Amino acid sequence: MQDMMISTRDLSKRYGRTLAVDRVDLDLAPGKVYALAGRNGAGKSSLIKMLLGLEPVTDGKATVLGLDSRSDHVEIRQRVGYVPETHHIYGWMTVEEVCRFTAGFYPSWDLDLCRQLLHDFGLDRAKKVSGLSRGMTAKAALVLALAHRPELLILDEPTSGLDAVVRKQFLESIVSVAADEGRTVLISSHLLAEVERICDTVLLLDRGKLLFAEDAESLRERVREITVTFDGDPPDATGLPETAVLTKAPHEWRMIVPHFTPETPGSIQEWAGPSAAIATRAPGLEEIFIALTGNSPEE
């Protein structure tokens, strides 16, 4: 656990009678991009805030960079770059003034890096924050999170409210920064189709429970969509392998197989009959989420 960037054991958060985070166990190794995926209200923000000591832990334990989130939260926040969903940046300050103000909270602030990031992101240092677009404000928040050279970058729904083009540019910026520095990134989002393009590992949270934490490539190999097109009437569903989703048209059935093996297509062919056509496809993360939870992440 001590070599992990983030470790949790039985981590839980309760608000009154609502269990927002339910006994989550995590071990996040350094140098990877992790996507904390799940619909709005799944418990993602509560989990992140407990890691940073912004919310008290109800039960369990969390360590970040080997530090206890209960007792060492000030040091954690000095060493972690954090971009919240809502950017709390003083609008009356210029970009330059915000950078100088924020630098006072971080002993490791790198002025040269800050200026380089502002240049790379196309931010005008003399412009007031209140005059920035949403996309530029998001980039300013990212500069503030990166200029003290954190080992760990945590982003909570960082592209919320941005249009598709700006979201894409912002996520590409994150990937570039992570690759250049070998930095560990934890990015929370309900926009699964976007984060799956940049992540190494997927953490799927639903109703406060961690459904899985899995390498993205392994997940694509394990979960497959199979479409069966019948020559005539389909047989009874008895004998099908385990499926998470099954949609039926008169002569075509589509299913998500959560534990696909090389033998699966043959088993389905045997069930469907020799005249049936079998097509296999790797579904996207959003399709997998719907298959495993029965809900769209947008809901």
Side-chain angles (χ1 to χ4, degrees):
M1 285 179 60
Q2 59 184 359
D3 295 327
M4 296 293 168
M5 302 299 283
I6 294 174
S7 287
T8 71
R9 292 294 177 268
D10 293 324
L11 188 64
S12 299
K13 178 63 184 177
R14 186 180 291 278
Y15 299 98
R17 295 183 179 181
T18 302
L19 188 59
V21 179
D22 188 0
R23 293 172 295 176
V24 168
D25 291 342
L26 282 178
D27 284 312
L28 306 191
K32 292 186 176 183
V33 178
Y34 295 89
L36 179 60
R39 57 185 165 174
N40 290 324
K44 303 187 299 298
S45 292
S46 295
L47 175 59
I48 286 173
K49 287 176 180 177
M50 283 193 291
L51 293 175
L52 296 171
L54 297 170
E55 288 278 2
V57 172
T58 302
D59 287 302
K61 183 178 181 180
T63 59
V64 178
L65 304 173
L67 302 168
D68 192 311
S69 64
R70 291 178 187 262
S71 57
D72 304 320
H73 48 85
V74 174
E75 185 177 352
I76 287 173
R77 292 202 289 272
Q78 285 182 328
R79 294 176 57 186
V80 172
Y82 173 49
V83 178
E85 180 177 3
T86 303
H87 308 301
H88 302 289
I89 305 176
Y90 295 120
W92 52 269
M93 287 185 175
T94 65
V95 171
E96 175 85 27
E97 289 168 341
V98 166
C99 291
R100 288 180 179 175
F101 173 75
T102 307
F105 296 96
Y106 297 99
S108 58
W109 189 269
D110 188 327
L111 180 59
D112 290 336
L113 175 60
C114 179
R115 288 175 174 168
Q116 184 62 50
L117 289 170
L118 292 175
H119 176 268
D120 292 346
F121 291 164
L123 283 159
D124 183 351
R125 289 188 284 169
K127 192 163 188 175
K128 286 196 173 185
V129 172
S130 59
L132 297 177
S133 66
R134 282 188 176 184
M136 284 300 183
T137 302
K139 288 182 178 180
L142 185 57
V143 170
L144 299 179
L146 290 170
H148 60 100
R149 293 191 177 277
E151 302 164 66
L152 173 64
L153 181 63
I154 297 180
L155 306 105
D156 188 4
E157 297 280 1
T159 61
S160 179
L162 305 182
D163 64 48
V165 173
V166 176
R167 286 201 307 266
K168 183 174 183 293
Q169 292 173 345
F170 185 85
L171 291 172
E172 286 173 351
S173 299
I174 293 168
V175 173
S176 174
V177 167
D180 289 346
E181 299 284 340
R183 186 177 283 110
T184 306
V185 180
L186 174 62
I187 177 168
S188 157
S189 181
H190 67 281
L191 300 171
L192 310 190
E194 295 185 349
V195 295
E196 76 172 314
R197 295 186 290 106
I198 68 168
C199 70
D200 301 304
T201 301
V202 180
L203 318 171
L204 185 55
L205 199 67
D206 189 50
R207 298 179 179 89
K209 289 184 176 291
L210 185 67
L211 298 188
F212 59 76
E214 189 167 347
D215 176 79
E217 194 57 41
S218 167
L219 184 62
R220 294 185 188 100
E221 290 294 321
R222 176 173 72 84
V223 183
R224 293 292 179 89
E225 177 191 274
I226 294 182
T227 301
V228 184
T229 305
F230 302 97
D231 210 11
D233 292 333
D236 186 87
T238 304
L240 268 174
E242 179 192 357
T243 59
V245 163
L246 184 62
T247 59
K248 301 178 182 179
H251 296 288
E252 183 177 278
W253 289 13
R254 186 181 67 87
M255 60 198 76
I256 299 287
V257 180
H259 299 287
F260 181 88
T261 68
E263 293 75 32
T264 301
S267 299
I268 292 178
Q269 187 76 68
E270 183 178 350
W271 162 79
S275 63
I278 309 292
T280 303
R281 182 181 74 89
L285 181 56
E286 186 163 333
E287 294 171 287
I288 294 172
F289 180 91
I290 293 170
L292 297 182
T293 67
N295 296 280
S296 166
E298 298 289 345
E299 292 176 357

